[in-house]
Amino acid sequence: MNARVDFFAHPLAAKVLRHINSAGRAVTDSGLPHTTQELVKIRASQINGCGFCTDMHTKDAAAAGETPLRLNLVAAWREATVFTDAERAALELTEQGTRIADAAGGVGDEAWAEAAKHYDEEQLVALVSLIAVINAYNRINVINRQPAGDYQPGQFG
């Protein structure tokens, strides 16, 4: 399988990705726990069917010490007992924010209130921003048919 366009070599794509990467870096440097950030990126990528991002973020999470058990249960987090209440709230917000078109009202007040119990305003801004950023990456990679499987942890910095 080959990508439709080489986004890593195309000048306009590089410019676009630089801006998205800057937004992602702002989130990475926020007070949102790194573990939560990786879980959010993995779950959104699973929902969107983005193999490239799922590969990248599961490998990065594992390299950072995330357990195989938790990584294997992200897709079934509702039934899993291995996630904290805060992580579960972030995963719910991620699902609703990723599937925004599936609900007439967008993200529900209950999901927001639950997230607000566990995260302060800066962390909520980071969480919302992260959900938007990973969805942007997912869409680029899915549309472009970016192949998955060859990513090495830390490959992009």
Side-chain angles (χ1 to χ4, degrees):
M1 176 182 220
N2 292 315
R4 291 174 166 159
V5 175
D6 185 349
F7 257 70
F8 303 112
H10 192 280
L12 177 58
K15 187 185 279 189
V16 170
L17 291 177
R18 233 183 346 267
H19 288 289
I20 298 173
N21 288 341
S22 291
R25 204 167 301 110
V27 173
T28 299
D29 296 341
S30 74
L32 186 64
H34 184 71
T35 300
T36 302
Q37 291 183 40
E38 288 301 331
L39 293 174
V40 164
K41 290 184 272 190
I42 292 165
R43 187 63 191 127
S45 299
Q46 290 171 334
I47 292 166
N48 288 321
C50 184
F52 186 82
C53 290
T54 301
D55 180 43
M56 175 191 301
H57 297 298
T58 55
K59 287 176 179 175
D60 282 347
E66 189 57 80
T67 67
L69 175 64
R70 284 170 44 96
L71 290 174
N72 289 331
L73 289 173
V74 171
W77 65 268
R78 282 183 176 81
E79 293 81 26
T81 59
V82 297
F83 301 105
T84 67
D85 289 342
E87 290 168 340
R88 296 169 73 73
L91 288 166
E92 179 64 35
L93 196 65
T94 300
E95 288 200 5
Q96 288 190 28
T98 299
R99 293 183 168 136
I100 204 161
D102 295 344
V107 174
D109 290 339
E110 186 177 318
W112 181 262
E114 188 61 27
K117 279 193 224 176
H118 301 283
Y119 301 102
D120 63 27
E121 191 170 273
E122 180 176 323
Q123 292 171 321
L124 287 169
V125 168
L127 183 56
V128 169
S129 300
L130 178 59
I131 293 166
V133 166
I134 192 59
N135 274 278
Y137 277 124
N138 291 164
R139 279 149 178 77
I140 288 169
N141 288 319
V142 169
I143 293 166
N144 194 42
R145 291 191 179 162
Q146 192 66 40
D150 295 330
Y151 178 80
Q152 299 299 313
Q155 179 176 329
F156 296 122

